[in-house]
Amino acid sequence: MTDKLLLLGDQAIALGAVHAGISGVYAYPGTPSTEITEYIQENPLARERGVRSDWCTNEKTAMEAALGMSYVGKRSLVCMKHVGMNVAADAFVNSAMTGVNGGVVVVAADDPSMHSSQNEQDSRFYGKFAFVPILEPSSQQEAYEMVRYGFELSENIGLPVLMRITTRMAHSRAVVTVTDPSDVNPVSFPKETSNWILLPVNARRRYKEVLAAQQKLEELSETTKYNSYKKSGKKGVIACGIGYNYVMENISSSDERTVLKISQYPLPVGIVRDMFDHCDEILVVEDGQPFVEDQLRGILDCTGKIKGRLSGDLPRVGELTPDNVGAALGTENGMRYDTCCTVVPRPPALCQGCGHRDVYEVLNLVLREYPDHKVFSDIGCYTLGALPPFRSIHTCVDMGASITMAKGAADGGLFPSVAVIGDSTFTHSGMTGLLDAVNSGANVTIIISDNLTTAMTGGQDSAGTGRIEAICLGVGVDPAHVRTVVPLPKNMEQIQQVIKEEIEYKGVSVIVPRRECIQTLKRKAKKQ
Amino acid sequence: MKKDIILAGVGGQGILSIAAIIGQAALNQNLHIKQAEVHGMSQRGGDVQSNLRICSEPIHSDLISLGRADAIISLEPMEALRYIPYLSPEGWIVVNSVPYINIPNYPEIERLDAEFAKMPHVISFDVDAIAREHGGVRTVNMVLLGAASLILDIEDTKLEEAIGDIFGRKGDKVVEMNVNAFRAGREAGKKQMKG
């Protein structure tokens, strides 16, 4: 079977995984990774095979479930955005320590330029940190093929494999030629399973094995077809992942430069050394942080031969573009129009009719009477409450941080200390913080603005739907101070009263304004 | 054959359905395609754009270089002007003249018109009005695509075929409505072509 399909990079990865015979995909939604899991959820072959594809509570639970599936010999895919790697890190790093049985491919979707994220962290550092191979496809076709290759590699070397992509790979479509699907692995257990018990006695042995495997991984990077070395002139370019496309966009096929394309790490050390000896200068073109450039320069290379983001030849921050790569390569730019000064920014905003709007409106009304208040918020649509006309919130740091930061600030003497968090973020990482607050009797008012979905990423299932109050009660919040309201303009007076009462209560109180996301509501209406 | 197109609009207007149809038409003709989109936070009423590249040769970059776009197709006038630095000096702007005002400091329409007057190749008209005559606001994208078909170097029959491919599963009536909107857009565009 060969078939040509127009696929997003995310969808190419998804189909690659289904065709590689996965038995499960474990993920928490996060831009730009969400469409991988969504595609698998809708894929007919995945459905027929019963591939598990329910959304997980967070990235850590996803990584652990995948490792469990690997333990019984099956292939599993894990997907997340880059900051999700921070949440999954404990499980991810230690999955290299245990090793895998069935193949595990972890896809981390980085977001340089922060289109929809709070930082530009580069997941390749996690791969190096955990001593696992990293794959970085340069095209949608390569992404499709490299997923299957990644599962084979994972099983051959007994380690999880990290696939790192960036926004422009995740959210760009191209024609992909697909091939026949592989069968699903049968259940099988490894003969020796002591690796899976990371007691110090096993972990010490296992760490030596992981380190010893690094030589083999470097050799694989030298021979893989996904890394290519075209030795030619004295000017050199190392192009990583989609950085390769921007280089090729700017140079002609008769160009004399020596080009090393990298789509698999650890770096192919022998080739890199050969290139360094051969070339007078090397430009490193990599999306995200200067991961490769820094390894090549270190702090001792004073030759000035290595150029890239650290040398200033490419911008230190923001994603690569054909223009900034062209400038670094010395390509002449033709005539063009200047920026039009009539155009003004159009920032994103909460949808008209969104329940979060009503929550912020009434919260602002109540908090006007408390000039010393601070509102700790979280990651989701409601973060837009920071912008006009609301300007309601004072923090947004990481998933779940609202509740714990409000607790810490209350401990430090703040009153009123208010947290605003969404339902999906609450179950992702807010529940544990709520237990901290209950245990110490913190004087905080927590608003769980429940729209019954994971809205910002496009309306995926939310893990705690229908059980938010039960979770709060289970954690130990006083039932008299778990209050549910409906955020509609007609209920403003009542909600105002509830918020005021709970701020005045000296202890943990939870208010749950609940109204379905207007976007998911519209989609449902359309379907009917 | 090479066409680099920037599609622009406001989150929620649905520029991606235009991209899907041009992409499908290109796929049917075995052309190479790359189309970068924006998802996530900016979709909430902010400015959105998509880079669509079609070529008979393989395409490397997912993004269009400054000054190289052959066309800007925009559902909103100010959003068309946002991407002017990407437009080739010989490129076309195909734009809905109806502003989408969801910010307090939206510029005066006269100032936008003055900017378009400076550009050599523009097709600008009230796309909403034509759409209302052919199925309502849902067909705004198809009316605009119809106008854009005048400058895309893809036969209009191929685009109509792609409309059939994309909307086919919604039934013949939906296909017919969208094809009619497309044709009406093409006719309206012909009258407004400047350059």
Side-chain angles (χ1 to χ4, degrees), chain A residues 163-184:
Chain A
M163 176 174 278
R164 182 257 185 171
I165 57 171
T166 55
T167 305
R168 299 300 178 184
M169 166 60 66
H171 287 168
S172 178
R173 275 173 223 277
V175 179
V176 175
T177 306
V178 303
T179 48
D180 289 332
S182 308
D183 290 335
V184 173

Side-chain angles (χ1 to χ4, degrees), chain A residues 104 225 274 355 365 457:
Chain A
V104 175
K225 68 170 176 173
D274 184 77
L365 213 57
T457 46

Side-chain angles (χ1 to χ4, degrees), chain B residues 138-193:
Chain B
R138 285 176 298 171
T139 63
V140 162
N141 298 327
M142 292 307 108
V143 174
L144 189 67
L145 176 63
S149 71
L150 295 163
I151 52 105
L152 280 181
D153 283 347
I154 299 176
E155 284 172 45
D156 51 340
T157 51
K158 300 282 179 194
L159 287 164
E160 289 185 12
E161 203 178 289
I163 292 172
D165 292 343
I166 297 284
F167 290 106
R169 64 193 169 93
K170 293 185 178 171
D172 292 344
K173 278 207 168 153
V174 174
V175 173
E176 194 189 320
M177 178 180 76
N178 282 288
V179 168
N180 286 339
F182 173 87
R183 288 177 183 167
R186 192 172 162 92
E187 287 311 308
K190 274 182 191 163
K191 291 179 202 150
Q192 302 298 331
M193 248 175 136

Side-chain angles (χ1 to χ4, degrees), chain A residues 144-448:
Chain A
Y144 170 78
E145 291 169 14
M146 286 189 92
V147 176
R148 195 179 315 208
Y149 169 77
F151 278 110
E152 289 161 5
L153 178 64
S154 172
E155 286 168 5
N156 287 338
I157 59 173
L159 289 170
V161 169
L162 177 67
M163 176 174 278
R164 182 257 185 171
I165 57 171
T166 55
T167 305
R168 299 300 178 184
M169 166 60 66
H171 287 168
S172 178
R173 275 173 223 277
V175 179
V176 175
T177 306
V178 303
T179 48
D180 289 332
S182 308
D183 290 335
V184 173
N185 286 357
V187 171
S188 72
F189 293 94
K191 285 195 190 92
E192 171 56 46
T193 60
S194 64
N195 288 355
W196 296 83
I197 308 168
L198 292 177
L199 276 168
V201 59
N202 295 331
R204 287 183 197 118
R205 170 177 49 75
R206 183 61 196 156
Y207 189 37
K208 284 181 190 160
E209 288 171 9
V210 171
L211 293 178
Q214 299 305 300
Q215 174 88 31
K216 168 85 176 152
L217 300 186
E218 277 177 20
E219 286 166 19
L220 288 170
S221 292
E222 303 220 348
T223 54
T224 176
K225 68 170 176 173
Y226 297 111
N227 291 343
S228 65
Y229 183 39
K230 191 198 81 167
K231 194 169 172 179
S232 185
K234 296 287 182 190
K235 280 189 170 182
V237 181
I238 294 179
C240 306
I242 62 166
Y244 181 72
N245 302 338
Y246 300 133
V247 172
M248 299 312 286
E249 184 77 18
N250 278 288
I251 64 177
S252 67
S253 52
S254 59
D255 191 272
E256 291 287 290
R257 286 180 180 83
T258 290
V259 178
L260 171 58
K261 167 185 174 275
I262 303 278
S263 284
Q264 183 173 334
Y265 309 78
L267 284 172
V269 175
I271 297 175
V272 171
R273 288 207 175 108
D274 184 77
M275 192 173 176
F276 188 78
D277 292 340
H278 175 72
C279 292
D280 296 333
E281 62 166 63
I282 296 174
L283 177 71
V284 183
V285 179
E286 52 189 329
D287 215 355
Q289 294 177 320
F291 173 75
V292 171
E293 187 188 358
D294 198 26
Q295 285 184 64
L296 301 191
R297 283 162 64 109
I299 51 173
L300 296 179
D301 173 39
C302 304
T303 62
K305 274 169 77 166
I306 309 294
K307 298 182 186 307
R309 289 182 183 269
L310 293 171
S311 68
D313 289 74
L314 283 163
R316 182 66 180 81
V317 300
E319 67 183 341
L320 296 176
T321 66
D323 301 302
N324 59 32
V325 173
L329 290 167
T331 313
E332 290 289 318
N333 210 334
M335 279 265 296
R336 63 177 171 88
Y337 294 105
D338 292 330
T339 306
C340 178
C341 57
T342 310
V343 175
V344 296
R346 195 191 299 260
L350 289 167
C351 304
Q352 293 303 321
C354 167
H356 296 317
R357 281 183 172 264
D358 300 314
V359 170
Y360 283 130
E361 208 157 292
V362 67
L363 186 63
N364 281 354
L365 213 57
V366 176
L367 291 177
R368 209 179 290 162
E369 294 166 34
Y370 301 91
D372 297 331
H373 78 271
K374 289 283 178 275
V375 177
F376 300 86
S377 193
D378 230 300
I379 312 269
C381 288
Y382 48 90
T383 317
L384 294 170
L387 305 178
F390 305 106
R391 298 183 192 277
S392 303
I393 66 170
H394 303 100
T395 72
C396 162
V397 183
D398 67 89
M399 294 287 285
S402 56
I403 295 177
T404 27
M405 285 180 71
K407 176 207 181 300
D411 290 349
L414 176 73
F415 176 79
S417 189
V418 179
V420 175
I421 186 169
D423 51 310
S424 184
T425 307
F426 174 66
T427 46
H428 177 288
S429 292
M431 300 190 291
T432 43
L434 180 60
L435 183 56
D436 279 350
V438 167
N439 286 346
S440 68
N443 188 15
V444 291
T445 306
I446 297 160
I447 297 173
I448 304 176

Side-chain angles (χ1 to χ4, degrees), chain A residues 449-489:
Chain A
S449 195
D450 184 1
N451 58 9
L452 305 165
T453 188
T454 313
M456 176 114 277
T457 46
Q460 294 74 28
D461 291 340
S462 175
T465 296
R467 284 169 290 162
I468 298 294
E469 288 88 339
I471 291 167
C472 296
L473 296 173
V475 165
V477 183
D478 181 344
H481 298 283
V482 177
R483 314 276 296 267
T484 305
V485 296
V486 181
L488 280 169

Side-chain angles (χ1 to χ4, degrees), chain A residues 35 116 140 171-175 245-246 248-249 322-323 336-337 340 342-344 346 348-349 381 455-456, chain B residues 33-35 37 39 41 44 46-47 53 60-62 65-66 76 79 82 84-85 89 100 102 115 119-120:
Chain A
E35 294 79 4
S116 203
Q140 290 78 357
H171 287 168
S172 178
R173 275 173 223 277
V175 179
N245 302 338
Y246 300 133
M248 299 312 286
E249 184 77 18
D323 301 302
R336 63 177 171 88
Y337 294 105
C340 178
T342 310
V343 175
V344 296
R346 195 191 299 260
C381 288
M456 176 114 277
Chain B
I33 306 155
K34 285 226 169 184
Q35 186 227 323
E37 343 180 313
H39 298 203
M41 183 169 260
R44 301 276 170 264
D47 56 276
R53 310 189 69 192
H60 295 291
S61 170
D62 297 88
S65 302
L66 289 163
E76 207 279 345
E79 294 309 322
R82 192 182 299 282
I84 290 293
Y100 187 106
N102 64 346
E115 296 289 347
M119 309 302 293

